[in-house]
Amino acid sequence: MTQSLTITRPDDWHLHLRDGDMLRAVLPETARHFGRAIIMPNLVPPVVTGEQAGAYRDRILSALPGDMTFEPLMTLYLTEDTDPEDVAAAHASGLVKAVKLYPAGATTNSASGVRDFDKVRPVLEKMAEIGLPLCTHGEVTDPDIDIFDREAVFIDRVLDPIRQATPGLRVVMEHITTRNAADYVRSQDKDLGATITTHHLIINRNHILVGGIKPHYYCLPVAKREEHRIALRAAATSGDHRFFLGTDSAPHTDANKLQACGCAGCFTATNTMALLAHVFEEDGALDQLEGFASRNGPAFYRLPENPGQITLVKQDAPVAFPEQIDTPDGPVTVFDPGFPVHWTVA
Ligand code: DOR
Ligand code: ZN
């Protein structure tokens, strides 16, 4: 029996596209299904100024195949030297849709991130004034904090104090991985939203570590216990408008993943929508997929929904997704959910 589901064309509210050859290789994987994406600024060097964001946007658009449409929504990487007036100008011109906070050292290319949160206070106040959202990588980097507790501690020590001190600041807690984060979002007002990745709806920490280490399941924030995965599924499929899709699809070559100190990131751009259809169907919530992937994000970012639609089709035979994307830098492995998937985008 063929089943199908047509939804408004989705957006990805957290995406890594990189630059150069890698950008050209991975961009079509996202643009095939998604209308827009919030583009992460953690290049080397990071995208810090409005001018750099404009140049990066131009490089993304030149890498886009001529037969595809896609709008990159640019972000600025928050540093202790970020100029509030530059942020305001980049927002006023329509170029920049969010500012990204990486605590220094939290993840890939985050060395220029924030150490002293008092130093970014003027920027945060300007953002609250102009309504520009702050996207947070919500992990503390204190070496005394266990890596599995980094997100929960960030909420108490960093995020809640910032929000209390900056009324009106609109915040997206990105790639949440814990029940604590989902509960915090629910307990707050309309100025707080959260993105959830596809992979964090599918894997828990056992998938990374049991039966041999699985580098392709290693990302940051790292997947937590099963009870947290269940809480994320409940949040994503609930219909609560504050939760929306941000894949955090993060390409690294196999050479960089499969080594003694492997890079963090799951590459899910290729099969995300199919996997989400599987997950939402499994939870009896296919009717909530459109909200999660296509409607709640634009509502939070105060943007119109995409004009087009995509159709997901469920077929009898399992779908054979590519195992890898070839890039001039080497292959990038596509996230393997570990179970057969029957959904595909028509
Ligand atoms: O797993 C991750 N990979 N988490 C991040 O926060 C960064 C990302 C990357 O850039 O590779
Ligand atoms: Zn990310």
Side-chain angles (χ1 to χ4, degrees), residues 14-16 40 42 100 102 107 137 174-175 220 248-250:
H14 181 130
L15 177 67
H16 297 270
M40 286 299 116
N42 63 334
K100 176 70 188 255
Y102 286 105
T107 186
H137 182 108
E174 299 204 283
H175 44 50
L220 290 171
D248 199 10
S249 182

PDB file of all heavy atoms in Angstrom, residues 14-16 40 42 100 102 107 137 174-175 220 248-250, ligand 2:
ATOM      1  N   HIS A  14      19.061  24.940  11.535  1.00  0.00           N
ATOM      2  CA  HIS A  14      20.447  24.820  12.037  1.00  0.00           C
ATOM      3  C   HIS A  14      21.205  23.902  11.083  1.00  0.00           C
ATOM      4  O   HIS A  14      21.008  22.693  11.089  1.00  0.00           O
ATOM      5  CB  HIS A  14      20.463  24.227  13.452  1.00  0.00           C
ATOM      6  CG  HIS A  14      21.839  24.112  14.027  1.00  0.00           C
ATOM      7  ND1 HIS A  14      22.162  24.588  15.274  1.00  0.00           N
ATOM      8  CD2 HIS A  14      22.987  23.574  13.533  1.00  0.00           C
ATOM      9  CE1 HIS A  14      23.435  24.353  15.525  1.00  0.00           C
ATOM     10  NE2 HIS A  14      23.964  23.727  14.482  1.00  0.00           N
ATOM     11  N   LEU A  15      22.106  24.500  10.299  1.00  0.00           N
ATOM     12  CA  LEU A  15      22.795  23.716   9.275  1.00  0.00           C
ATOM     13  C   LEU A  15      24.245  24.181   9.120  1.00  0.00           C
ATOM     14  O   LEU A  15      24.522  25.373   9.109  1.00  0.00           O
ATOM     15  CB  LEU A  15      22.070  23.886   7.930  1.00  0.00           C
ATOM     16  CG  LEU A  15      22.709  23.191   6.727  1.00  0.00           C
ATOM     17  CD1 LEU A  15      22.629  21.665   6.871  1.00  0.00           C
ATOM     18  CD2 LEU A  15      22.024  23.628   5.429  1.00  0.00           C
ATOM     19  N   HIS A  16      25.141  23.201   8.945  1.00  0.00           N
ATOM     20  CA  HIS A  16      26.543  23.494   8.622  1.00  0.00           C
ATOM     21  C   HIS A  16      26.777  23.194   7.146  1.00  0.00           C
ATOM     22  O   HIS A  16      26.590  22.056   6.714  1.00  0.00           O
ATOM     23  CB  HIS A  16      27.482  22.620   9.463  1.00  0.00           C
ATOM     24  CG  HIS A  16      27.365  22.895  10.930  1.00  0.00           C
ATOM     25  ND1 HIS A  16      28.135  23.828  11.578  1.00  0.00           N
ATOM     26  CD2 HIS A  16      26.539  22.382  11.872  1.00  0.00           C
ATOM     27  CE1 HIS A  16      27.799  23.878  12.863  1.00  0.00           C
ATOM     28  NE2 HIS A  16      26.826  23.001  13.067  1.00  0.00           N
ATOM     29  N   MET A  40      25.156  28.008   9.894  1.00  0.00           N
ATOM     30  CA  MET A  40      26.079  28.174  11.012  1.00  0.00           C
ATOM     31  C   MET A  40      27.354  28.891  10.557  1.00  0.00           C
ATOM     32  O   MET A  40      27.864  28.635   9.460  1.00  0.00           O
ATOM     33  CB  MET A  40      26.438  26.810  11.619  1.00  0.00           C
ATOM     34  CG  MET A  40      25.310  26.229  12.430  1.00  0.00           C
ATOM     35  SD  MET A  40      24.893  27.321  13.826  1.00  0.00           S
ATOM     36  CE  MET A  40      23.228  27.781  13.410  1.00  0.00           C
ATOM     37  N   ASN A  42      30.430  28.816  11.933  1.00  0.00           N
ATOM     38  CA  ASN A  42      31.704  28.337  12.520  1.00  0.00           C
ATOM     39  C   ASN A  42      32.685  27.871  11.449  1.00  0.00           C
ATOM     40  O   ASN A  42      33.185  26.751  11.470  1.00  0.00           O
ATOM     41  CB  ASN A  42      31.456  27.236  13.568  1.00  0.00           C
ATOM     42  CG  ASN A  42      30.825  25.980  13.000  1.00  0.00           C
ATOM     43  OD1 ASN A  42      30.135  26.032  11.992  1.00  0.00           O
ATOM     44  ND2 ASN A  42      31.069  24.842  13.645  1.00  0.00           N
ATOM     45  N   LYS A 100      24.922  33.698  16.690  1.00  0.00           N
ATOM     46  CA  LYS A 100      25.184  32.397  17.292  1.00  0.00           C
ATOM     47  C   LYS A 100      26.165  32.516  18.453  1.00  0.00           C
ATOM     48  O   LYS A 100      27.257  33.059  18.295  1.00  0.00           O
ATOM     49  CB  LYS A 100      25.760  31.447  16.225  1.00  0.00           C
ATOM     50  CG  LYS A 100      26.176  30.079  16.751  1.00  0.00           C
ATOM     51  CD  LYS A 100      24.973  29.230  17.137  1.00  0.00           C
ATOM     52  CE  LYS A 100      25.379  27.945  17.835  1.00  0.00           C
ATOM     53  NZ  LYS A 100      25.273  26.763  17.016  1.00  0.00           N
ATOM     54  N   TYR A 102      28.561  30.515  20.764  1.00  0.00           N
ATOM     55  CA  TYR A 102      29.311  29.312  21.136  1.00  0.00           C
ATOM     56  C   TYR A 102      30.116  29.636  22.387  1.00  0.00           C
ATOM     57  O   TYR A 102      30.965  30.541  22.341  1.00  0.00           O
ATOM     58  CB  TYR A 102      30.325  28.919  20.048  1.00  0.00           C
ATOM     59  CG  TYR A 102      29.759  28.312  18.797  1.00  0.00           C
ATOM     60  CD1 TYR A 102      29.677  29.051  17.627  1.00  0.00           C
ATOM     61  CD2 TYR A 102      29.341  26.987  18.760  1.00  0.00           C
ATOM     62  CE1 TYR A 102      29.182  28.495  16.451  1.00  0.00           C
ATOM     63  CE2 TYR A 102      28.849  26.421  17.598  1.00  0.00           C
ATOM     64  CZ  TYR A 102      28.773  27.179  16.448  1.00  0.00           C
ATOM     65  OH  TYR A 102      28.293  26.623  15.292  1.00  0.00           O
ATOM     66  N   THR A 107      32.798  23.241  20.912  1.00  0.00           N
ATOM     67  CA  THR A 107      32.664  22.308  19.797  1.00  0.00           C
ATOM     68  C   THR A 107      33.552  22.737  18.637  1.00  0.00           C
ATOM     69  O   THR A 107      34.442  23.578  18.798  1.00  0.00           O
ATOM     70  CB  THR A 107      31.183  22.199  19.372  1.00  0.00           C
ATOM     71  OG1 THR A 107      31.054  21.182  18.386  1.00  0.00           O
ATOM     72  CG2 THR A 107      30.665  23.514  18.811  1.00  0.00           C
ATOM     73  N   HIS A 137      24.588  27.447  21.417  1.00  0.00           N
ATOM     74  CA  HIS A 137      25.138  26.110  21.618  1.00  0.00           C
ATOM     75  C   HIS A 137      25.189  25.946  23.131  1.00  0.00           C
ATOM     76  O   HIS A 137      26.094  26.452  23.785  1.00  0.00           O
ATOM     77  CB  HIS A 137      26.525  25.962  20.992  1.00  0.00           C
ATOM     78  CG  HIS A 137      27.060  24.576  21.151  1.00  0.00           C
ATOM     79  ND1 HIS A 137      27.165  23.682  20.112  1.00  0.00           N
ATOM     80  CD2 HIS A 137      27.469  23.904  22.258  1.00  0.00           C
ATOM     81  CE1 HIS A 137      27.632  22.524  20.569  1.00  0.00           C
ATOM     82  NE2 HIS A 137      27.824  22.637  21.867  1.00  0.00           N
ATOM     83  N   GLU A 174      19.574  25.563  20.690  1.00  0.00           N
ATOM     84  CA  GLU A 174      19.765  24.729  19.514  1.00  0.00           C
ATOM     85  C   GLU A 174      20.100  23.292  19.886  1.00  0.00           C
ATOM     86  O   GLU A 174      20.681  23.024  20.927  1.00  0.00           O
ATOM     87  CB  GLU A 174      20.875  25.320  18.666  1.00  0.00           C
ATOM     88  CG  GLU A 174      20.484  26.727  18.210  1.00  0.00           C
ATOM     89  CD  GLU A 174      21.203  27.110  16.961  1.00  0.00           C
ATOM     90  OE1 GLU A 174      22.375  27.447  17.037  1.00  0.00           O
ATOM     91  OE2 GLU A 174      20.562  27.045  15.902  1.00  0.00           O
ATOM     92  N   HIS A 175      19.707  22.405  18.997  1.00  0.00           N
ATOM     93  CA  HIS A 175      19.972  20.963  19.119  1.00  0.00           C
ATOM     94  C   HIS A 175      19.858  20.489  20.566  1.00  0.00           C
ATOM     95  O   HIS A 175      20.812  19.946  21.129  1.00  0.00           O
ATOM     96  CB  HIS A 175      21.317  20.572  18.510  1.00  0.00           C
ATOM     97  CG  HIS A 175      22.478  21.489  18.824  1.00  0.00           C
ATOM     98  ND1 HIS A 175      22.791  21.882  20.094  1.00  0.00           N
ATOM     99  CD2 HIS A 175      23.396  22.083  18.021  1.00  0.00           C
ATOM    100  CE1 HIS A 175      23.851  22.663  20.060  1.00  0.00           C
ATOM    101  NE2 HIS A 175      24.227  22.796  18.805  1.00  0.00           N
ATOM    102  N   LEU A 220      28.104  16.792  18.891  1.00  0.00           N
ATOM    103  CA  LEU A 220      27.962  17.622  20.084  1.00  0.00           C
ATOM    104  C   LEU A 220      26.751  18.541  19.948  1.00  0.00           C
ATOM    105  O   LEU A 220      26.594  19.133  18.885  1.00  0.00           O
ATOM    106  CB  LEU A 220      29.226  18.462  20.302  1.00  0.00           C
ATOM    107  CG  LEU A 220      30.462  17.658  20.725  1.00  0.00           C
ATOM    108  CD1 LEU A 220      31.705  18.528  20.701  1.00  0.00           C
ATOM    109  CD2 LEU A 220      30.246  17.045  22.110  1.00  0.00           C
ATOM    110  N   ASP A 248      21.293  20.297  12.327  1.00  0.00           N
ATOM    111  CA  ASP A 248      22.712  20.291  12.720  1.00  0.00           C
ATOM    112  C   ASP A 248      23.505  19.336  11.834  1.00  0.00           C
ATOM    113  O   ASP A 248      24.522  18.778  12.265  1.00  0.00           O
ATOM    114  CB  ASP A 248      22.887  19.923  14.201  1.00  0.00           C
ATOM    115  CG  ASP A 248      24.249  20.357  14.739  1.00  0.00           C
ATOM    116  OD1 ASP A 248      24.960  21.098  14.044  1.00  0.00           O
ATOM    117  OD2 ASP A 248      24.596  19.930  15.859  1.00  0.00           O
ATOM    118  N   SER A 249      23.003  19.134  10.607  1.00  0.00           N
ATOM    119  CA  SER A 249      23.753  18.292   9.675  1.00  0.00           C
ATOM    120  C   SER A 249      25.143  18.913   9.519  1.00  0.00           C
ATOM    121  O   SER A 249      25.268  20.086   9.169  1.00  0.00           O
ATOM    122  CB  SER A 249      23.005  18.241   8.332  1.00  0.00           C
ATOM    123  OG  SER A 249      23.679  17.395   7.435  1.00  0.00           O
ATOM    124  N   ALA A 250      26.174  18.119   9.826  1.00  0.00           N
ATOM    125  CA  ALA A 250      27.522  18.673   9.966  1.00  0.00           C
ATOM    126  C   ALA A 250      28.516  17.766   9.249  1.00  0.00           C
ATOM    127  O   ALA A 250      28.957  16.758   9.806  1.00  0.00           O
ATOM    128  CB  ALA A 250      27.883  18.791  11.447  1.00  0.00           C
TER     129      ALA A 250
HETATM  130 ZN    ZN B   2      25.757  22.824  14.831  1.00  0.00          ZN
END
